[in-house]
Structure formats: structure tokens, C-alpha cells
């Protein structure tokens, strides 16, 4: 399948705090992606709510019909960008392996939506995030992905659709103690039920952990 490149902008959310070796390797992978990119940087440690604020800024700057969130601790194959949701729905790629930088290097999978795999109609994303920030100007009581029913119910905002799909080649999300997620910072996150030591495109788990920690 040929990936369309003229209707999608990458929203690169980064705190600029990753190890130098990983940052260089990650940039090499991003340079393989034939899409316009907007870099959304925060030099302070980026909290989960701040990530969504940066996403809103990027979506407002973009001019393409669709945007895709990319994060600085996640690897993306070109196959991840094949999918386009309907104008009224958010799309999450569920072919996403997590890889912890602690313990035995192991890829693991669980069926959970993650903001790092979001592909969205640009105007829908702006609408959803503007509603959240307008309703909770002093901070959200609950942080979570757009289109997740439980999150939107907790925030008291308009429910919006979300669809799940699976790319042929996986996204890989590095879990590390410099994350915005508290469970990663204290190394209390559990492996998913499906596990692997070697996967197509990205190779051995210990190779990527070494890339991140070098």
C-alpha cells in the first residue's frame, strides 16, 4: 500500500530530555517519514496535560486535513501512517509494543489506546481539546486520550468516536523513568499479556534498550 503524504502533518511532542544516542537514532527514524512536521517542545519536564496543550498548538498551526501525534520515545514505521479515520472519529493504532528500560528487555503488548498512536482529523482534534481547556482552565481533574468514553465522561465533555486498527508493522513505545507517566517513573508498570524478544522491523528488544540507555 502506498502511503499518501500530502494530507497529514506530524505533531512531534518532545521535552528535549532524551539520551543523546537515542535522540540521534530517533531523528534518523523520523527523517525516513515523508510528511511535514511541527515540533512542539517544552524544555521543562512535560506533564500529561501539557502534552495535550502542545497538541492543540500544533493542530492549530497545521494546514492538512489530518494530524498524527508522534512522541520522542516512540518509534514509528511508515505503515503506521496508512490509516485515515472518518471526519468524526479518532483512530488509534493498537499494534503497539511497549518496551521497558528496566528488567529483562522484553516487548509486551496489551489492548489499550495510547495517545502516541493517535491519527486524527485536524479540526476534530482542535474542537475536542478546545472544549477540554475551556471547561477546565485551571487544570484537568482527569487526563486521558480523546475519544475514550471513560475519560470524556469524567471530564464532562462531548463524547466522540474512536476506532482501533492494526498496522502491518508495529509502533514501539519505550517505557522509561523520564516519562510523563508516574507509573513509568517509579518502574511500577507491568508487562502486557503478549510478549516477544524479537519483532519485525525493529529487531531484538535488548538492542533497542541499549540504544535508549547509551
Amino acid at each position: 500500500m502506498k502511503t499518501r503524504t500530502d494530507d497529514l502533518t506530524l505533531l512531534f511532542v518532545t521535552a528535549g530530555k532524551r539520551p543523546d544516542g537515542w535522540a540521534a537514532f530517533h531523528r534518523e527514524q523520523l527523517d525516513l517519514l515523508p510528511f511535514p512536521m511541527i515540533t512542539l517542545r517544552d524544555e521543562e519536564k512535560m506533564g500529561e496535560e501539557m502534552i495535550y496543550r502542545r497538541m492543540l498548538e500544533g493542530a492549530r498551526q497545521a494546514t492538512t486535513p489530518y494530524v498524527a501525534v508522534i512522541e520522542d520515545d516512540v518509534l514509528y514505521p511508515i505503515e503506521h501512517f496508512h490509516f485515515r479515520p472518518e471526519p468524526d472519529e479518532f483512530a488509534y493504532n493498537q499494534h503497539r509494543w511497549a518496551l521497558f528500560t528496566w528488567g529483562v528487555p522484553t516487548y509486551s503488548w496489551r489492548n489499550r489506546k495510547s495517545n502516541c498512536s493517535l491519527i486524527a482529523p485536524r479540526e476534530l482534534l482542535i474542537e475536542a481539546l478546545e472544549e477540554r481547556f475551556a471547561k477546565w482552565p485551571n487544570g484537568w481533574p482527569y487526563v486521558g486520550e480523546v475519544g475514550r468514553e471513560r475519560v470524556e465522561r469524567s471530564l464532562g465533555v462531548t463524547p466522540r468516536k474512536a476506532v482501533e486498527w492494526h498496522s502491518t508493522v508495529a509502533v514501539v513505545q519505550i517505557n522509561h523513568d523520564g516519562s510523563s507517566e508516574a507509573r513509568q517513573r517509579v518502574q511500577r508498570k507491568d508487562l502486557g499479556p503478549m510478549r516477544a524478544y524479537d519483532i519485525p522491523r525493529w529487531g531484538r528488544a535488548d538492542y533497542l534498550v541499549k540504544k535508549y540507555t547509551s
Side-chain angles (χ1 to χ4, degrees), residues 40-55:
L40 304 157
R41 183 181 298 274
D42 193 322
E43 294 301 334
E44 299 301 321
K45 193 167 187 177
M46 190 176 289
E48 291 178 285
E49 185 179 326
M50 185 58 71
I51 290 174
Y52 289 94
R53 190 174 294 279
R54 294 291 177 258
M55 287 166 51

Side-chain angles (χ1 to χ4, degrees), residues 51-52 55 69 71 92 113-118 145-146:
I51 290 174
Y52 289 94
M55 287 166 51
V69 175
E71 298 183 0
Y92 291 93
K113 296 180 180 66
S114 175
N115 188 59
C116 73
S117 72
L118 172 65
E145 289 81 3
V146 292

Side-chain angles (χ1 to χ4, degrees), residues 132-152:
R132 289 189 182 193
F133 285 111
K135 186 173 181 66
W136 302 99
N138 299 315
W140 299 356
Y142 193 90
V143 179
E145 289 81 3
V146 292
R148 285 185 63 193
E149 181 182 358
R150 184 180 67 178
V151 174
E152 292 172 337

Side-chain angles (χ1 to χ4, degrees), residues 112-131:
R112 185 192 181 282
K113 296 180 180 66
S114 175
N115 188 59
C116 73
S117 72
L118 172 65
I119 297 176
R122 184 178 66 87
E123 292 183 0
L124 185 67
L125 182 61
I126 292 172
E127 176 186 284
L129 293 180
E130 284 183 343
E131 182 182 5

